[in-house]
Amino acid sequence: DTGVSQDPRHKITKRGQNVTFRCDPISEHNRLYWYRQTLGQGPEFLTYFQNEAQLEKSRLLSDRFSAERPKGSFSTLEIQRTEQGDSAMYLCASSQGQPSGNTIYFGEGSWLTVV
Amino acid sequence: DQQVKQNSPSLSVQEGRISILNCDYTNSMFDYFLWYKKYPAEGPTFLISISSIKDKNEDGRFTVFLNKSAKHLSLHIVPSQPGDSAVYFCAARDMEYGNKLVFGAGTILRVKS
């Protein structure tokens, strides 16, 4: 399988706990994105990496959220002190750089439920 | 501020007929538009795209039309099949912000057999 891979697919956690999601992009894709989707809404942009550099962060990404992409390969998204409002599907996506990287490919998503 | 709007939350179509999904946008800086299809509990799957310099792109049963003056695009599926039943998201790329995509809220398509 050469698609975008996310782990875990589902996570249930108690409020106040920390959670971490991992994303493995399509190989040779140098751009990696994190999005969040809640019920009835489209995916919302969180942050974006080109190789290991985090180039943009949405204002949705509070200081409890941190993302890394060491060595420009896989990425992790950590949420500290989870709140019930963090319950959502967290989507990772990747694309090639310009000029051919117009299409962003998504993974299966990681469902987070905060109880 | 919703820059990409899909005003129809749902659409029901008979198998074999045409499905037309609509999308409106407000940001003139959008230079590339994509449609994604999503099944429950899965990530969005890329379907078809169109550059802002084109007005039509076709791929098999799927055709996307872009009307830049009206800031409107549409996805036509013909003939519609039951397997097309899913949520369809319109997305637009903001050329000022790299490859960041802005999504609409989605339209649920139900194809009845």
Side-chain angles (χ1 to χ4, degrees):
Chain A
D1 185 10
T2 56
V4 178
S5 177
Q6 293 188 243
D7 182 71
R9 294 291 313 280
H10 299 90
K11 178 74 176 178
I12 299 174
T13 191
K14 290 184 179 178
R15 190 176 56 179
Q17 298 293 305
N18 299 344
V19 295
T20 299
F21 299 111
R22 176 184 169 120
C23 171
D24 288 273
I26 295 171
S27 57
E28 298 175 359
H29 278 191
N30 59 11
R31 295 185 177 186
L32 186 147
Y33 311 80
W34 285 99
Y35 283 78
R36 179 173 69 186
Q37 185 177 15
T38 53
L39 204 61
Q41 300 295 320
E44 295 175 293
F45 172 79
L46 292 179
T47 190
Y48 145 59
F49 290 85
Q50 177 142 331
N51 299 312
E52 65 275 12
Q54 188 173 17
L55 296 186
E56 190 182 345
K57 290 194 286 187
S58 163
R59 61 180 182 274
L60 292 175
L61 214 65
S62 76
D63 55 7
R64 296 185 298 105
F65 288 71
S66 62
E68 294 182 343
R69 192 183 183 197
K71 302 177 184 177
S73 55
F74 72 92
S75 175
T76 57
L77 176 69
E78 182 183 18
I79 309 173
Q80 296 181 324
R81 305 181 304 280
T82 52
E83 300 172 356
Q84 287 187 321
D86 297 332
S87 297
M89 175 181 264
Y90 289 85
L91 292 160
C92 178
S94 70
S95 72
Q96 292 178 313
Q98 294 296 336
S100 57
N102 288 324
T103 301
I104 295 178
Y105 297 92
F106 284 85
E108 298 284 337
S110 293
W111 274 108
L112 173 65
T113 302
V114 182
V115 296
Chain B
D1 176 24
Q2 271 192 296
Q3 298 185 68
V4 178
K5 295 182 183 179
Q6 294 178 256
N7 291 319
S8 298
S10 64
L11 175 67
S12 186
V13 171
Q14 197 67 35
E15 180 180 7
R17 306 296 286 266
I18 185 170
S19 296
I20 300 176
L21 297 105
N22 294 302
C23 178
D24 296 294
Y25 63 96
T26 58
N27 189 339
S28 302
M29 299 303 287
F30 290 151
D31 68 337
Y32 201 76
F33 302 89
L34 305 91
W35 284 93
Y36 287 85
K37 174 180 175 181
K38 186 178 184 300
Y39 293 116
E42 293 184 9
T45 302
F46 170 72
L47 207 52
I48 192 169
S49 60
I50 188 167
S51 165
S52 60
I53 62 174
K54 302 262 177 93
D55 55 20
K56 178 182 174 182
N57 187 28
E58 191 172 352
D59 183 3
R61 296 185 298 115
F62 303 92
T63 303
V64 56
F65 295 92
L66 174 63
N67 182 334
K68 277 190 70 176
S69 60
K71 293 192 175 67
H72 177 83
L73 65 155
S74 60
L75 174 68
H76 292 210
I77 306 173
V78 56
S80 301
Q81 300 173 352
D84 296 329
S85 298
V87 181
Y88 288 78
F89 290 101
C90 169
R93 185 178 72 183
D94 189 334
M95 69 169 75
E96 287 192 308
Y97 292 97
N99 269 23
K100 184 179 86 171
L101 294 181
V102 180
F103 282 82
T107 297
I108 300 170
L109 174 65
R110 295 187 185 89
V111 180
K112 299 177 288 186
S113 55

